[in-house]
Amino acid sequence: MADELEALSPAESASTQHRVRFEPVGIEIDVAEDQTILRAAAEQGVMLMHGCKEGQCAACKSFLLDGDDVEHDRYSTFALPDYEKEEGFTLLCRAHAYEDLTIELLNYDEEMIQSGLPIQEAEVEVVANDPVTHDLRHLVVRLDGDLKFFPGQYLDFAIPGTEETRSFSMANTSARDGFLEFVIKIYPDGLFSRFLAAEVAVGDRLRVTGPFGVFTLRDNPGKDLVFVGGGAGMAPILSLLRSMAERGLDRKATFYYGARRRRDLCFEAELRELEAKLPGFRYVPALSEPGDDGWTGETGFVTDVLRQADLDLTGADAYVCGPPPMVEAALELLPALGVDGKRVFYDKFTTTGEG
């Protein structure tokens, strides 16, 4: 069932700015009325927790401590129910300030909050657009200039001829100077999917904006890592694993990747190579519908496979990325396996309804 969406129009004034203070971190920024609070923070180097930027995932949900003149762009009432909005909760990715505000951050990372990289707009040239499974594309583009990002972050792609954008995570690390690569799921009725599958060719030029996202590797020497992914969630997790290999990190790590059939697996050879490069790293693919293709690996939903592994993940860091149902199941499971809820980092890949 599609999420219910609510629309509110911000006032026309675009130039007036208001002071927004974030507690308990004591950081203040200026926010123009035509900007969302999240975008204004990003442009000023303040990295607030966020995910989809479309009012669907609730990662940026916060609470208004002082001031209430706030209006929201369209958002999902599953992310911000009416009763929560009436109590003073807000979604920073959709909120416009029309007076000075004090906001309590309910979800923030002290290690990262002031480590933001500048948001840039850039033009890229398509180098490759190849299928890696029946419904995943490996898109590689070349930057005209330089764009700094942290492994695990994402960019917004503008869709030509529309005012729409779509967000996709980089699969590479910043070490590949000048090139960016993405793993993108093709949806039959998706606006960007149709464009990517039918129109995008080598040599085409596209507009991107970013970087965004906080799905980045935190320092926690000596502590185990568990990655749980599915679908295009391969991209940011692959970026983190490649980064670990480049940096020579020796933290024990396991990557559980869920797919339906063998044909849905990708980057198998590289992940097996990473097992040789990274001490203590294991790649564990799991198929929920293995069929009769001779599969001898793990079977079942990836979170069930993780549960049945009977691991003690006390003190571990967990990174989860993929379809919302998988992410929700993992967020419920991981604390039961010993992971501190504050050490579970996730990127929920929401889909954008067309029409």
Side-chain angles (χ1 to χ4, degrees):
M1 182 178 69
D3 286 0
E4 179 184 355
L5 296 173
E6 177 172 317
L8 286 174
S9 298
E12 293 182 358
S13 172
S15 58
T16 304
Q17 292 194 337
H18 303 284
R19 197 71 172 167
V20 175
R21 180 179 177 85
F22 300 110
E23 297 292 0
V25 294
I27 295 173
E28 295 187 359
I29 63 170
D30 292 314
V31 182
E33 291 181 352
D34 66 335
Q35 291 180 302
T36 65
I37 295 172
L38 180 69
R39 179 58 183 254
E43 290 184 355
Q44 294 169 64
V46 179
M47 189 179 289
L48 303 178
M49 298 299 284
H50 64 281
C52 67
K53 304 198 317 303
E54 296 176 351
Q56 295 189 52
C57 73
C60 66
K61 186 183 292 183
S62 301
F63 187 77
L64 295 169
L65 291 174
D66 186 36
D68 58 8
D69 194 357
V70 174
E71 293 187 5
H72 292 80
D73 294 329
R74 192 172 74 150
Y75 65 90
S76 167
T77 54
F78 288 100
L80 182 64
D82 290 340
Y83 74 91
E84 287 191 349
K85 184 182 175 188
E86 292 172 1
E87 291 174 0
F89 290 91
T90 183
L91 298 176
L92 300 182
C93 71
R94 311 306 279 170
H96 295 258
Y98 292 96
E99 65 175 336
D100 292 351
L101 303 171
T102 301
I103 295 174
E104 180 184 6
L105 299 176
L106 305 180
N107 185 20
Y108 65 96
D109 189 325
E110 290 190 48
E111 294 179 40
M112 298 195 61
I113 197 165
Q114 297 201 66
S115 65
L117 295 171
I119 304 300
Q120 301 178 53
E121 293 186 4
E123 190 170 85
V124 298
E125 179 184 351
V126 175
V127 174
N129 177 16
D130 301 315
V132 288
T133 72
H134 70 103
D135 64 354
L136 290 178
R137 288 293 180 102
H138 184 213
L139 177 67
V140 182
V141 300
R142 180 188 294 111
L143 283 161
D144 284 346
D146 187 32
L147 187 149
K148 294 182 179 180
F149 65 93
F150 297 123
Q153 289 192 297
Y154 66 86
L155 296 181
D156 286 348
F157 278 75
I159 303 177
T162 77
E163 295 184 357
E164 299 286 334
T165 62
R166 295 294 184 268
S167 305
F168 302 106
S169 298
M170 279 74 78
N172 61 296
T173 72
S174 55
R176 286 195 62 194
D177 192 25
F179 290 88
L180 302 172
E181 56 180 301
F182 305 83
V183 181
I184 300 174
K185 184 173 176 63
I186 301 298
Y187 293 93
D189 297 322
L191 183 61
F192 190 89
S193 292
R194 292 195 301 267
F195 171 64
L196 182 63
E199 299 182 40
V200 175
V202 172
D204 286 352
R205 303 188 73 81
L206 303 172
R207 296 293 302 176
V208 297
T209 306
F212 300 103
V214 292
F215 192 74
T216 59
L217 195 65
R218 274 65 165 186
D219 287 333
N220 201 1
K223 300 299 183 181
D224 292 353
L225 288 159
V226 59
F227 300 95
V228 185
M234 171 65 73
I237 293 177
L238 187 58
S239 177
L240 296 183
L241 291 171
R242 288 170 167 175
S243 173
M244 289 176 62
E246 290 172 4
R247 295 165 59 189
L249 299 185
D250 60 358
R251 294 171 65 180
K252 182 180 177 181
T254 308
F255 178 18
Y256 291 87
Y257 182 76
R260 289 187 179 179
R261 304 290 295 271
R262 186 192 290 268
R263 68 172 187 163
D264 298 309
L265 298 176
C266 57
F267 295 94
E268 292 272 282
E270 180 177 355
L271 287 163
R272 294 305 181 192
E273 289 176 5
L274 284 170
E275 286 184 313
K277 292 180 182 178
L278 287 168
F281 172 63
R282 284 197 310 135
Y283 166 57
V284 183
L287 303 185
S288 61
E289 301 173 11
D292 57 358
D293 58 4
W295 177 252
T296 59
E298 299 289 347
T299 61
F301 292 115
V302 67
T303 47
D304 291 336
V305 170
L306 177 57
R307 180 185 292 107
Q308 293 161 8
D310 196 28
L311 302 174
D312 180 5
L313 297 179
T314 302
D317 286 354
Y319 291 81
V320 184
C321 189
M326 186 215 74
V327 173
E328 293 294 345
L331 294 180
E332 181 178 345
L333 171 63
L334 287 163
L337 299 179
V339 183
D340 184 334
K342 294 181 179 179
R343 304 301 297 184
V344 179
F345 310 103
Y346 66 95
D347 216 346
K348 189 187 299 183
F349 280 7
T350 58
T351 56
T352 302
E354 309 298 346

